[in-house]
Amino acid sequence: MRKKTRKVALLGVLTSVALVLSYLEVMLPPISTAVPGIKMGLPNIIIIFVLYKFGLKEAVTVSLIRVFIVALIFGGNIMTLSYSVAGAVLSLALMTLFKKINLFSIVGVSIIGGISHNLGQILVAIFLFDTIQIGYYMIVLSITGTIAGVVIGIISSILVKKLEKLV
């Protein structure tokens, strides 16, 4: 019982850290004014950490709680929520798959997560706006998703190693 309580408390703290990283990301100036909507994905540091240290169920829980709370706090509407959920679900699904295949390091899995998060959002936009041309935006988002994936993956990898005894 004590171990379960410790796990729930730790996941609560990690969810809070992910929320703080979301807030920090909103407060930072845009990465690019030429390409709107690009973010580093700082909360994914925590999501990847949870995926590697706890597992899929816990990573999904932390990720979705974070997405819904961020939507409430920052005044997201159903469209922004649908983009966020689609990106989170697709990236977690593919990161889990590639983690299980064990061909890639945490950095490689993070890159897959960054690109697939963008792909999930593009697929929602294609569906909502009923135009395939939005898919061309994926070229730029693949590049930025790769760069963000590398940075987030390196940080996540360090955390997983340094906090090995935490879990």
mmCIF file of all heavy atoms in Angstrom, residues 118-149:
data_model
loop_
_atom_site.group_PDB
_atom_site.id
_atom_site.type_symbol
_atom_site.label_atom_id
_atom_site.label_comp_id
_atom_site.label_asym_id
_atom_site.label_seq_id
_atom_site.Cartn_x
_atom_site.Cartn_y
_atom_site.Cartn_z
ATOM 1 N N ASN A 118 3.225 16.348 -34.109
ATOM 2 C CA ASN A 118 2.867 17.292 -35.178
ATOM 3 C C ASN A 118 1.958 16.643 -36.214
ATOM 4 O O ASN A 118 1.013 17.266 -36.693
ATOM 5 C CB ASN A 118 4.135 17.828 -35.849
ATOM 6 C CG ASN A 118 4.943 18.715 -34.930
ATOM 7 O OD1 ASN A 118 4.411 19.338 -34.019
ATOM 8 N ND2 ASN A 118 6.240 18.764 -35.161
ATOM 9 N N LEU A 119 2.246 15.396 -36.556
ATOM 10 C CA LEU A 119 1.416 14.682 -37.527
ATOM 11 C C LEU A 119 -0.021 14.536 -37.024
ATOM 12 O O LEU A 119 -0.975 14.753 -37.781
ATOM 13 C CB LEU A 119 2.008 13.306 -37.839
ATOM 14 C CG LEU A 119 1.207 12.434 -38.808
ATOM 15 C CD1 LEU A 119 1.062 13.116 -40.157
ATOM 16 C CD2 LEU A 119 1.866 11.063 -38.952
ATOM 17 N N GLY A 120 -0.177 14.202 -35.749
ATOM 18 C CA GLY A 120 -1.525 14.094 -35.170
ATOM 19 C C GLY A 120 -2.293 15.397 -35.298
ATOM 20 O O GLY A 120 -3.482 15.415 -35.652
ATOM 21 N N GLN A 121 -1.606 16.503 -35.047
ATOM 22 C CA GLN A 121 -2.262 17.804 -35.151
ATOM 23 C C GLN A 121 -2.601 18.148 -36.604
ATOM 24 O O GLN A 121 -3.674 18.692 -36.882
ATOM 25 C CB GLN A 121 -1.376 18.884 -34.528
ATOM 26 C CG GLN A 121 -1.254 18.704 -33.020
ATOM 27 C CD GLN A 121 -0.442 19.792 -32.367
ATOM 28 O OE1 GLN A 121 0.500 20.319 -32.961
ATOM 29 N NE2 GLN A 121 -0.809 20.136 -31.151
ATOM 30 N N ILE A 122 -1.714 17.825 -37.518
ATOM 31 C CA ILE A 122 -1.976 18.076 -38.938
ATOM 32 C C ILE A 122 -3.167 17.244 -39.424
ATOM 33 O O ILE A 122 -4.016 17.727 -40.176
ATOM 34 C CB ILE A 122 -0.721 17.778 -39.794
ATOM 35 C CG1 ILE A 122 0.342 18.847 -39.556
ATOM 36 C CG2 ILE A 122 -1.053 17.657 -41.273
ATOM 37 C CD1 ILE A 122 -0.031 20.239 -40.037
ATOM 38 N N LEU A 123 -3.239 15.994 -38.991
ATOM 39 C CA LEU A 123 -4.372 15.140 -39.385
ATOM 40 C C LEU A 123 -5.702 15.712 -38.897
ATOM 41 O O LEU A 123 -6.697 15.688 -39.629
ATOM 42 C CB LEU A 123 -4.174 13.711 -38.867
ATOM 43 C CG LEU A 123 -3.040 12.925 -39.538
ATOM 44 C CD1 LEU A 123 -2.822 11.596 -38.828
ATOM 45 C CD2 LEU A 123 -3.304 12.729 -41.022
ATOM 46 N N VAL A 124 -5.712 16.262 -37.686
ATOM 47 C CA VAL A 124 -6.932 16.907 -37.175
ATOM 48 C C VAL A 124 -7.265 18.127 -38.041
ATOM 49 O O VAL A 124 -8.428 18.333 -38.405
ATOM 50 C CB VAL A 124 -6.784 17.309 -35.694
ATOM 51 C CG1 VAL A 124 -7.905 18.245 -35.253
ATOM 52 C CG2 VAL A 124 -6.761 16.069 -34.812
ATOM 53 N N ALA A 125 -6.257 18.926 -38.383
ATOM 54 C CA ALA A 125 -6.491 20.113 -39.216
ATOM 55 C C ALA A 125 -7.016 19.726 -40.596
ATOM 56 O O ALA A 125 -7.945 20.362 -41.111
ATOM 57 C CB ALA A 125 -5.203 20.929 -39.347
ATOM 58 N N ILE A 126 -6.458 18.683 -41.169
ATOM 59 C CA ILE A 126 -6.935 18.212 -42.484
ATOM 60 C C ILE A 126 -8.400 17.798 -42.387
ATOM 61 O O ILE A 126 -9.215 18.143 -43.245
ATOM 62 C CB ILE A 126 -6.065 17.042 -43.003
ATOM 63 C CG1 ILE A 126 -4.691 17.561 -43.425
ATOM 64 C CG2 ILE A 126 -6.738 16.317 -44.164
ATOM 65 C CD1 ILE A 126 -3.673 16.466 -43.717
ATOM 66 N N PHE A 127 -8.743 17.098 -41.321
ATOM 67 C CA PHE A 127 -10.126 16.655 -41.115
ATOM 68 C C PHE A 127 -11.057 17.849 -40.879
ATOM 69 O O PHE A 127 -12.121 17.948 -41.505
ATOM 70 C CB PHE A 127 -10.184 15.683 -39.933
ATOM 71 C CG PHE A 127 -11.577 15.281 -39.561
ATOM 72 C CD1 PHE A 127 -12.274 14.351 -40.327
ATOM 73 C CD2 PHE A 127 -12.200 15.840 -38.454
ATOM 74 C CE1 PHE A 127 -13.563 13.985 -39.986
ATOM 75 C CE2 PHE A 127 -13.490 15.476 -38.111
ATOM 76 C CZ PHE A 127 -14.176 14.550 -38.881
ATOM 77 N N LEU A 128 -10.662 18.757 -39.992
ATOM 78 C CA LEU A 128 -11.529 19.886 -39.643
ATOM 79 C C LEU A 128 -11.722 20.860 -40.806
ATOM 80 O O LEU A 128 -12.816 21.383 -41.003
ATOM 81 C CB LEU A 128 -10.965 20.639 -38.433
ATOM 82 C CG LEU A 128 -11.049 19.918 -37.094
ATOM 83 C CD1 LEU A 128 -10.355 20.741 -36.011
ATOM 84 C CD2 LEU A 128 -12.498 19.645 -36.698
ATOM 85 N N PHE A 129 -10.666 21.111 -41.551
ATOM 86 C CA PHE A 129 -10.743 22.095 -42.628
ATOM 87 C C PHE A 129 -10.972 21.466 -43.997
ATOM 88 O O PHE A 129 -11.074 22.166 -44.994
ATOM 89 C CB PHE A 129 -9.484 22.975 -42.640
ATOM 90 C CG PHE A 129 -9.357 23.803 -41.396
ATOM 91 C CD1 PHE A 129 -8.389 23.499 -40.450
ATOM 92 C CD2 PHE A 129 -10.209 24.860 -41.165
ATOM 93 C CE1 PHE A 129 -8.270 24.249 -39.290
ATOM 94 C CE2 PHE A 129 -10.105 25.629 -40.016
ATOM 95 C CZ PHE A 129 -9.126 25.317 -39.069
ATOM 96 N N ASP A 130 -11.029 20.144 -44.017
ATOM 97 C CA ASP A 130 -11.329 19.388 -45.228
ATOM 98 C C ASP A 130 -10.445 19.798 -46.409
ATOM 99 O O ASP A 130 -10.921 20.039 -47.516
ATOM 100 C CB ASP A 130 -12.823 19.541 -45.586
ATOM 101 C CG ASP A 130 -13.266 18.511 -46.617
ATOM 102 O OD1 ASP A 130 -12.666 17.412 -46.650
ATOM 103 O OD2 ASP A 130 -14.198 18.805 -47.389
ATOM 104 N N THR A 131 -9.150 19.889 -46.118
ATOM 105 C CA THR A 131 -8.194 20.208 -47.176
ATOM 106 C C THR A 131 -6.870 19.516 -46.899
ATOM 107 O O THR A 131 -6.311 19.638 -45.818
ATOM 108 C CB THR A 131 -7.987 21.729 -47.337
ATOM 109 O OG1 THR A 131 -7.008 21.946 -48.346
ATOM 110 C CG2 THR A 131 -7.572 22.403 -46.057
ATOM 111 N N ILE A 132 -6.398 18.811 -47.878
ATOM 112 C CA ILE A 132 -5.149 18.060 -47.771
ATOM 113 C C ILE A 132 -3.929 18.978 -47.852
ATOM 114 O O ILE A 132 -2.841 18.612 -47.410
ATOM 115 C CB ILE A 132 -5.106 16.936 -48.833
ATOM 116 C CG1 ILE A 132 -4.017 15.908 -48.530
ATOM 117 C CG2 ILE A 132 -4.897 17.520 -50.216
ATOM 118 C CD1 ILE A 132 -4.367 14.964 -47.448
ATOM 119 N N GLN A 133 -4.104 20.180 -48.394
ATOM 120 C CA GLN A 133 -2.980 21.099 -48.570
ATOM 121 C C GLN A 133 -2.308 21.457 -47.250
ATOM 122 O O GLN A 133 -1.115 21.799 -47.240
ATOM 123 C CB GLN A 133 -3.422 22.389 -49.290
ATOM 124 C CG GLN A 133 -3.607 22.212 -50.776
ATOM 125 C CD GLN A 133 -4.906 21.484 -51.140
ATOM 126 O OE1 GLN A 133 -5.824 21.400 -50.345
ATOM 127 N NE2 GLN A 133 -4.967 20.933 -52.335
ATOM 128 N N ILE A 134 -3.027 21.384 -46.158
ATOM 129 C CA ILE A 134 -2.427 21.648 -44.841
ATOM 130 C C ILE A 134 -1.296 20.660 -44.575
ATOM 131 O O ILE A 134 -0.353 20.966 -43.853
ATOM 132 C CB ILE A 134 -3.511 21.568 -43.736
ATOM 133 C CG1 ILE A 134 -4.518 22.696 -43.927
ATOM 134 C CG2 ILE A 134 -2.892 21.649 -42.349
ATOM 135 C CD1 ILE A 134 -5.729 22.601 -43.042
ATOM 136 N N GLY A 135 -1.361 19.515 -45.214
ATOM 137 C CA GLY A 135 -0.328 18.499 -45.043
ATOM 138 C C GLY A 135 1.061 18.965 -45.449
ATOM 139 O O GLY A 135 2.063 18.446 -44.950
ATOM 140 N N TYR A 136 1.151 19.948 -46.337
ATOM 141 C CA TYR A 136 2.454 20.481 -46.741
ATOM 142 C C TYR A 136 3.195 21.108 -45.559
ATOM 143 O O TYR A 136 4.420 21.177 -45.554
ATOM 144 C CB TYR A 136 2.313 21.498 -47.873
ATOM 145 C CG TYR A 136 1.894 20.875 -49.175
ATOM 146 C CD1 TYR A 136 0.690 21.208 -49.776
ATOM 147 C CD2 TYR A 136 2.708 19.933 -49.805
ATOM 148 C CE1 TYR A 136 0.304 20.626 -50.976
ATOM 149 C CE2 TYR A 136 2.330 19.340 -51.002
ATOM 150 C CZ TYR A 136 1.117 19.696 -51.571
ATOM 151 O OH TYR A 136 0.743 19.113 -52.757
ATOM 152 N N TYR A 137 2.452 21.584 -44.604
ATOM 153 C CA TYR A 137 3.024 22.174 -43.391
ATOM 154 C C TYR A 137 3.847 21.131 -42.622
ATOM 155 O O TYR A 137 4.727 21.464 -41.859
ATOM 156 C CB TYR A 137 1.869 22.712 -42.540
ATOM 157 C CG TYR A 137 2.251 23.667 -41.452
ATOM 158 C CD1 TYR A 137 3.168 24.687 -41.652
ATOM 159 C CD2 TYR A 137 1.660 23.564 -40.202
ATOM 160 C CE1 TYR A 137 3.490 25.570 -40.641
ATOM 161 C CE2 TYR A 137 1.979 24.438 -39.187
ATOM 162 C CZ TYR A 137 2.895 25.441 -39.408
ATOM 163 O OH TYR A 137 3.217 26.310 -38.416
ATOM 164 N N MET A 138 3.569 19.851 -42.890
ATOM 165 C CA MET A 138 4.263 18.762 -42.209
ATOM 166 C C MET A 138 5.748 18.743 -42.548
ATOM 167 O O MET A 138 6.554 18.273 -41.752
ATOM 168 C CB MET A 138 3.583 17.434 -42.560
ATOM 169 C CG MET A 138 3.849 16.305 -41.620
ATOM 170 S SD MET A 138 3.440 16.687 -39.924
ATOM 171 C CE MET A 138 4.726 15.725 -39.142
ATOM 172 N N ILE A 139 6.126 19.283 -43.691
ATOM 173 C CA ILE A 139 7.540 19.344 -44.067
ATOM 174 C C ILE A 139 8.314 20.163 -43.035
ATOM 175 O O ILE A 139 9.318 19.714 -42.486
ATOM 176 C CB ILE A 139 7.713 19.927 -45.493
ATOM 177 C CG1 ILE A 139 7.056 19.004 -46.521
ATOM 178 C CG2 ILE A 139 9.190 20.167 -45.814
ATOM 179 C CD1 ILE A 139 6.869 19.637 -47.887
ATOM 180 N N VAL A 140 7.823 21.347 -42.764
ATOM 181 C CA VAL A 140 8.461 22.219 -41.775
ATOM 182 C C VAL A 140 8.346 21.614 -40.384
ATOM 183 O O VAL A 140 9.314 21.603 -39.616
ATOM 184 C CB VAL A 140 7.823 23.628 -41.802
ATOM 185 C CG1 VAL A 140 8.357 24.496 -40.684
ATOM 186 C CG2 VAL A 140 8.041 24.281 -43.148
ATOM 187 N N LEU A 141 7.179 21.081 -40.056
ATOM 188 C CA LEU A 141 6.965 20.520 -38.724
ATOM 189 C C LEU A 141 7.807 19.272 -38.480
ATOM 190 O O LEU A 141 8.157 18.977 -37.333
ATOM 191 C CB LEU A 141 5.484 20.224 -38.502
ATOM 192 C CG LEU A 141 4.576 21.454 -38.421
ATOM 193 C CD1 LEU A 141 3.127 21.031 -38.238
ATOM 194 C CD2 LEU A 141 5.009 22.376 -37.297
ATOM 195 N N SER A 142 8.156 18.551 -39.524
ATOM 196 C CA SER A 142 9.042 17.391 -39.361
ATOM 197 C C SER A 142 10.442 17.832 -38.959
ATOM 198 O O SER A 142 11.090 17.200 -38.123
ATOM 199 C CB SER A 142 9.107 16.575 -40.643
ATOM 200 O OG SER A 142 7.870 15.979 -40.911
ATOM 201 N N ILE A 143 10.871 18.926 -39.544
ATOM 202 C CA ILE A 143 12.196 19.462 -39.205
ATOM 203 C C ILE A 143 12.204 19.981 -37.768
ATOM 204 O O ILE A 143 13.078 19.625 -36.974
ATOM 205 C CB ILE A 143 12.612 20.566 -40.200
ATOM 206 C CG1 ILE A 143 12.774 19.971 -41.594
ATOM 207 C CG2 ILE A 143 13.882 21.281 -39.742
ATOM 208 C CD1 ILE A 143 12.846 20.999 -42.711
ATOM 209 N N THR A 144 11.211 20.793 -37.433
ATOM 210 C CA THR A 144 11.168 21.345 -36.077
ATOM 211 C C THR A 144 10.887 20.246 -35.051
ATOM 212 O O THR A 144 11.420 20.293 -33.943
ATOM 213 C CB THR A 144 10.121 22.469 -35.965
ATOM 214 O OG1 THR A 144 8.825 21.955 -36.283
ATOM 215 C CG2 THR A 144 10.460 23.635 -36.873
ATOM 216 N N GLY A 145 10.078 19.265 -35.415
ATOM 217 C CA GLY A 145 9.798 18.145 -34.513
ATOM 218 C C GLY A 145 11.046 17.315 -34.247
ATOM 219 O O GLY A 145 11.250 16.814 -33.136
ATOM 220 N N THR A 146 11.886 17.182 -35.259
ATOM 221 C CA THR A 146 13.148 16.454 -35.098
ATOM 222 C C THR A 146 14.090 17.215 -34.170
ATOM 223 O O THR A 146 14.673 16.634 -33.247
ATOM 224 C CB THR A 146 13.821 16.226 -36.473
ATOM 225 O OG1 THR A 146 12.944 15.446 -37.283
ATOM 226 C CG2 THR A 146 15.154 15.518 -36.319
ATOM 227 N N ILE A 147 14.220 18.505 -34.384
ATOM 228 C CA ILE A 147 15.104 19.323 -33.540
ATOM 229 C C ILE A 147 14.612 19.306 -32.092
ATOM 230 O O ILE A 147 15.396 19.065 -31.159
ATOM 231 C CB ILE A 147 15.196 20.766 -34.080
ATOM 232 C CG1 ILE A 147 15.882 20.772 -35.444
ATOM 233 C CG2 ILE A 147 15.923 21.678 -33.093
ATOM 234 C CD1 ILE A 147 15.756 22.071 -36.215
ATOM 235 N N ALA A 148 13.316 19.543 -31.905
ATOM 236 C CA ALA A 148 12.760 19.518 -30.554
ATOM 237 C C ALA A 148 12.903 18.121 -29.944
ATOM 238 O O ALA A 148 13.231 17.988 -28.760
ATOM 239 C CB ALA A 148 11.286 19.934 -30.586
ATOM 240 N N GLY A 149 12.675 17.093 -30.757
ATOM 241 C CA GLY A 149 12.800 15.723 -30.268
ATOM 242 C C GLY A 149 14.197 15.410 -29.767
ATOM 243 O O GLY A 149 14.369 14.710 -28.764
#
